[in-house]
Amino acid sequence: MTMDVEEVKRRAGPREFSPADDLPEEYRTAATRMLEFHANSEIMGAYLERPFIRQSPSLERKLAFSAKVQDEIGHGQLLYRAAESLGIKTREEMLSDLANGDGKFLNCFHYPMTEWEETPMIAFFVDGAAMRRQATLKQSSWEPYAHAMDKVCFEEGFHVKHGESILAELMNGSRKEQRLTQAAFEEWWPRILQFFGPTDDQSTHHDFAADVGLKTMTNDELRTAFLNSYLPKAETYGLEIPDEPRIRQNDDGTWDVVEDDLDWEEFFSIAKNEYEPGLGQINARKEAQAAVEWVREVLDDREAMAAGGHTGQAAD
Amino acid sequence: MIWEVFRQEAAGDYHAHCGNVHAPDREMALLFAEIQHGRRKPTNSLWVVPQDEVGEVDTDEAVFGGTTDKSYRFAQTYSVEPAAEEVEASEEEQTEAERKRGDL
Amino acid sequence: MATADGASYAGVDDLDGEEAAEAVERLLFRLADDELVVAERYTEWQVRAPTLESDISLANVAQDELGHARLWYQVLERFGHDETDLIWERDPEDFRHGTLVEQPFADGDWADAVVRGYLYDVAEDERLHALEDSTFAPIRDRVGKVLDEEAYHLEYAESWLERLAGSEDGHERLQDALDRLYPYALTLFEPGDGTTDARIVEMGVRERSLGALRESWHDRVDDYLGSLGLRVPPLEPSERADGHVSPTDLPDHVGREGDHTDHWPALFAEMTGTYEDLGRDHATRIMDDDE
């Protein structure tokens, strides 16, 4: 019998629910939404970083960038599987929604990234913010999500340190490199602050996801933890924190971001996939994926043929 | 036929291979596995999988993780202080993995 | 491990004379440049491969090849080079890779990735096996671990070839890619000048001549692709005494003496753009030196 939502809330704890449980539609839909968003973000983040495999200024940086992009696609793979196991959407459906502009993903990955000095903004700050969040998701009530986070967090330390290493090099480099990096930081800083979304009283999906244990920390808590770790790092490397958007530390160590200083119109147009540069990136990826559709058809035909000669019971 | 059995100790844990059973079909395999592999050790769930359906590649055929230097994949290669506790935790896990691989 | 007269070269200083050192250096440039550029094209498939799983796998192949390039460039450093002049500040005309690896491909042409990978990997397999007992120790010491990684590459390429060849559409695309790439693949075995290859074999640095490698390569490729119903052009039997194949079988640009197609300087400019824009004068090292 399908568990009711009250029972889910009562039992919700770390890694409590698995595909063996008959979970209510509300839970499965909410978990699918979270996982699909997370998985899409991995793919679009990889999309943004891939040109820098080619543009890396040393052979070892090139190796690292290739490995990082590879890992991100790997994270997408894990997360789509964790999402699929909820029985709401298949990976094919999620990937085709992403291609069609219906799939949602992180605000930062809607912006173009064209210069080397921008790479640590994603690879250090955004990845650092993401890793903060991912570390808490090891306690998610959806076991496949938590399991995916085990592997993601294992790998992610390389990404953040790789990003930091690029930042350290730029900020210890020529005046020109420092100037360019500061400019990139100023451009990306508001987007990074928006990574965790609006403050909690403005967030819509939080309550249910928290109540059923899908996530365990609020946006505000995560933003504070991120700022406490990463602001000092920025300062260590000599980055100047822009005066605006204003951020204020409270006596208890938490941080307030002055929301009026951030462009929420842009944020919400991004959230709807209506921001032009982001749309361009979505469409460019769609074309690349459409170009290899013929290969997937070959694989699908082969799979269908193999299944035809096989009497195994259907999975799940 | 032979069925491979995977046991999960508690909710949220990974299913780990723990043995196998002879059984004519899946239903009986589950019944046998429940007693043979679930009666003594703490068990939350069991999976049974037809042995023929398990593919394998091992170190006789593969060099997992490669043979040339792949240290660029590891956090400990980058000489910066971890920015946060989760970065540090990841680095520790990676150092452990590298050690177990015999690369350290 | 040794020539008829038992020579073995522990390092660069043991090579007898300038000509010997230059011959080994030339061989290393071919190895390193081939690996670098083939990898560079593979990385273009990252985030563009047909499925997530194939994306991750091909990325690994790319990293392996880049790692092999790194390894061979490090041997070249013993000849007095550093990464800056080996890659970042080198004139693109001084690169010695065969033009197979620099060829661009059309969007979505996965058959190109598979066929190029296969033709290249068989060539790699032939040439690396011929280096296993090299008299030049820095090469001999490294071949084993490179070969260990190449086994996956070959299996991966063959696995895809078999699957694609099984469909009408896939078969046609494979044949197109093969027709287009085959002449370029021959460049992998083209000697640069008229004397180096003979000297390399005479010194025992590589056991077999390029011509002999080409013949084994062709036999394998012809057998295997033939078994999948793909047509491989015959190898001109009247092989010329200088080791070159008939110019009519070769593409206009071979690469081995720096005669590249226009795709190479374009690719090189993309690769070195950041280095140039930031006015760098050194290439960042992250990893320890290979021992």
Side-chain angles (χ1 to χ4, degrees):
Chain A
M1 206 184 78
T2 305
M3 220 181 281
D4 66 32
V5 171
E6 287 317 306
E7 188 185 348
V8 171
K9 288 182 181 173
R10 198 168 57 247
R11 282 179 51 187
R15 309 181 180 217
E16 180 64 29
F17 306 121
S18 77
D21 292 302
D22 191 357
L23 292 153
E25 176 101 19
E26 293 94 317
Y27 180 93
R28 293 187 292 120
T29 306
T32 303
R33 185 193 298 123
M34 252 179 101
L35 276 157
E36 183 178 1
F37 183 93
H38 197 162
N40 288 345
S41 300
E42 299 284 357
I43 303 300
M44 295 310 291
Y47 177 87
L48 212 54
E49 292 196 295
R50 66 175 295 284
F52 295 95
I53 304 169
R54 168 138 316 153
Q55 294 166 37
S56 287
S58 94
L59 195 50
E60 291 176 6
R61 288 266 188 247
K62 188 186 288 289
L63 278 160
F65 245 108
S66 172
K68 198 213 161 183
V69 170
Q70 178 189 35
D71 281 356
E72 305 294 15
I73 296 295
H75 297 173
Q77 195 270 357
L78 297 169
L79 288 158
Y80 283 121
R81 279 295 309 131
E84 252 183 338
S85 62
L86 287 148
I88 300 275
K89 279 174 102 170
T90 63
R91 176 166 102 178
E92 205 179 336
E93 288 167 338
M94 290 184 268
L95 283 169
S96 99
D97 276 357
L98 179 62
N100 295 333
D102 294 324
K104 304 296 166 58
F105 57 94
L106 210 57
N107 72 315
C108 292
F109 300 147
H110 287 256
Y111 297 96
M113 178 165 73
T114 56
E115 306 302 323
W116 180 254
E117 64 272 13
E118 290 180 280
T119 60
M121 306 309 145
I122 294 277
F124 182 50
F125 292 108
V126 175
D127 274 17
M131 194 178 178
R132 178 87 287 272
R133 185 163 170 275
Q134 284 161 339
T136 70
L137 291 171
K138 282 185 172 190
Q139 309 300 319
S140 176
S141 62
W142 183 239
E143 176 210 87
Y145 202 169
H147 282 184
M149 287 305 101
D150 286 342
K151 182 161 151 68
V152 167
C153 288
F154 169 85
E155 295 177 354
E156 199 72 22
F158 145 47
H159 301 180
V160 176
K161 288 191 75 184
H162 152 79
E164 184 173 347
S165 154
I166 293 172
L167 177 65
E169 181 177 30
L170 285 164
M171 291 307 285
N172 287 305
S174 65
R175 272 171 190 278
K176 179 185 178 186
E177 292 192 13
Q178 293 176 27
R179 183 170 45 76
L180 291 170
T181 310
Q182 176 65 33
F185 182 64
E186 284 169 22
E187 188 176 21
W188 281 85
W189 183 237
R191 305 164 182 174
I192 293 165
L193 287 175
Q194 286 180 314
F195 172 95
F196 295 105
T199 49
D200 289 336
D201 48 19
Q202 292 186 29
S203 165
T204 47
H205 296 306
H206 171 68
D207 285 348
F208 182 79
D211 290 346
V212 296
L214 280 168
K215 61 184 194 182
T216 59
M217 277 178 88
T218 67
N219 289 343
D220 289 353
E221 288 167 334
L222 291 168
R223 191 186 303 106
T224 284
F226 167 73
L227 287 172
N228 280 331
S229 297
Y230 288 81
L231 265 182
K233 278 288 194 184
E235 285 164 346
T236 300
Y237 293 117
L239 286 170
E240 281 177 46
I241 314 300
D243 294 336
E244 285 194 5
R246 285 164 290 173
I247 50 173
R248 304 188 189 115
Q249 192 161 31
N250 302 314
D251 293 342
D252 61 0
T254 62
W255 290 86
D256 285 335
V257 176
V258 178
E259 300 237 333
D260 287 349
D261 291 355
L262 290 163
D263 187 347
W264 293 102
E265 205 178 312
E266 183 174 281
F267 181 84
F268 287 110
S269 94
I270 280 175
K272 284 183 278 186
N273 288 348
E274 286 169 359
Y275 179 68
E276 280 297 329
L279 211 50
Q281 287 167 193
I282 293 169
N283 289 331
R285 187 194 154 273
K286 176 190 188 167
E287 279 171 32
Q289 279 304 301
V292 280
E293 177 60 27
W294 70 273
V295 185
R296 287 189 293 274
E297 280 168 15
V298 171
L299 297 183
D300 288 347
D301 287 349
R302 190 179 171 89
E303 194 175 324
M305 225 155 62
H310 185 79
T311 51
Q313 289 148 292
D316 299 324
Chain B
M1 72 191 268
I2 311 285
W3 297 73
E4 298 299 338
V5 183
F6 297 77
R7 189 172 61 88
Q8 181 197 46
E9 248 179 52
D13 288 352
Y14 290 83
H15 284 76
H17 186 249
C18 65
N20 39 47
V21 290
H22 275 272
D25 54 50
R26 185 152 82 183
E27 195 179 341
M28 288 208 87
L30 286 166
L31 285 169
F32 295 158
E34 184 178 326
I35 305 305
Q36 169 66 343
H37 297 291
R39 78 178 188 285
R40 301 288 306 278
K41 288 194 174 168
T43 302
N44 183 65
S45 150
L46 292 175
W47 290 341
V48 296
V49 180
Q51 187 179 58
D52 287 352
E53 297 297 324
V54 177
E56 180 176 359
V57 55
D58 66 15
T59 47
D60 287 344
E61 307 121 52
V63 281
F64 298 102
T67 36
T68 56
D69 189 350
K70 301 279 195 277
S71 56
Y72 55 87
R73 288 177 182 167
F74 289 93
Q76 54 272 28
T77 302
Y78 300 84
S79 56
V80 288
E81 278 300 304
E85 58 180 323
E86 58 275 10
V87 179
E88 196 175 353
S90 168
E91 179 168 352
E92 279 165 16
E93 286 180 37
Q94 293 189 22
T95 305
E96 177 66 5
E98 208 181 10
R99 195 185 58 74
K100 281 186 181 162
R101 275 179 47 85
D103 290 342
L104 277 184
Chain C
M1 190 173 297
T3 53
D5 61 1
S8 178
Y9 314 103
V12 179
D13 294 342
D14 301 298
L15 295 166
D16 311 320
E18 221 167 275
E19 282 180 351
E22 202 183 299
V24 177
E25 200 179 346
R26 278 170 167 267
L27 173 120
L28 282 162
F29 269 116
R30 294 165 64 104
L31 285 172
D33 293 348
D34 278 349
E35 296 280 42
L36 175 69
V37 182
V38 82
E40 201 56 54
R41 287 296 184 206
Y42 282 144
T43 64
E44 279 176 41
W45 282 105
Q46 289 195 251
V47 200
R48 287 178 179 167
T51 63
L52 299 179
E53 286 82 358
S54 52
D55 203 299
I56 299 162
S57 307
L58 196 71
N60 217 68
V61 175
Q63 285 161 42
D64 283 348
E65 304 294 29
L66 279 174
H68 302 167
R70 175 180 173 275
L71 204 109
W72 299 128
Y73 284 128
Q74 286 198 356
V75 178
L76 278 164
E77 289 181 9
R78 300 180 182 203
F79 288 78
H81 300 287
D82 61 23
E83 189 181 323
T84 305
D85 68 80
L86 287 170
I87 303 176
W88 307 99
E89 295 178 18
R90 195 160 144 207
D91 189 323
E93 285 178 13
D94 289 339
F95 278 77
R96 291 291 180 260
H97 55 272
T99 44
L100 172 72
V101 293
E102 73 197 28
Q103 293 309 299
F105 49 84
D107 289 347
D109 193 356
W110 186 245
D112 180 290
V114 169
V115 171
R116 180 188 308 223
Y118 175 74
L119 296 175
Y120 182 79
D121 291 337
V122 176
E124 267 288 90
D125 194 56
E126 288 294 330
R127 101 172 140 187
L128 290 171
H129 277 295
L131 290 168
E132 273 185 305
D133 292 327
S134 176
T135 48
F136 188 58
I139 291 181
R140 188 172 69 233
D141 295 345
R142 285 164 178 76
V143 169
K145 48 185 175 180
V146 175
L147 265 173
D148 281 346
E149 291 181 343
E150 292 293 339
Y152 182 93
H153 303 181
L154 205 47
E155 205 180 326
Y156 188 72
E158 288 179 352
S159 194
W160 273 109
L161 280 167
E162 285 161 28
R163 276 145 193 83
L164 296 183
S167 92
E168 202 179 316
D169 182 29
H171 194 274
E172 202 173 303
R173 288 172 189 261
L174 287 176
Q175 187 66 55
D176 284 352
L178 183 57
D179 293 344
R180 190 177 63 252
L181 293 172
Y182 179 83
Y184 289 104
L186 291 175
T187 69
L188 295 174
F189 305 99
E190 276 299 288
D193 56 39
T195 53
T196 300
D197 195 50
R199 181 165 290 128
I200 287 288
V201 176
E202 187 185 278
M203 289 167 65
V205 176
R206 190 180 58 228
E207 274 184 325
R208 303 168 66 211
S209 72
L210 287 168
L213 295 179
R214 179 171 56 223
E215 223 166 281
S216 313
W217 172 83
H218 184 269
D219 284 351
R220 281 173 71 180
V221 164
D222 189 37
D223 269 4
Y224 180 72
L225 293 180
S227 77
L228 299 175
L230 295 163
R231 294 178 311 278
V232 179
L235 193 61
E236 190 59 51
S238 59
E239 188 189 312
R240 292 156 40 144
D242 60 5
H244 296 274
V245 288
S246 160
T248 53
D249 291 338
L250 286 171
D252 290 343
H253 301 276
V254 169
R256 292 308 191 185
E257 283 297 276
D259 53 331
H260 293 283
T261 58
D262 292 342
H263 307 300
W264 168 239
L267 176 59
F268 184 75
E270 282 180 32
M271 281 170 61
T272 51
T274 300
Y275 185 94
E276 292 290 327
D277 290 350
L278 294 181
R280 290 269 167 102
D281 57 9
H282 68 283
T284 313
R285 300 295 295 270
I286 304 166
M287 300 148 70
D288 292 337
D289 265 4
D290 189 71
E291 300 91 51

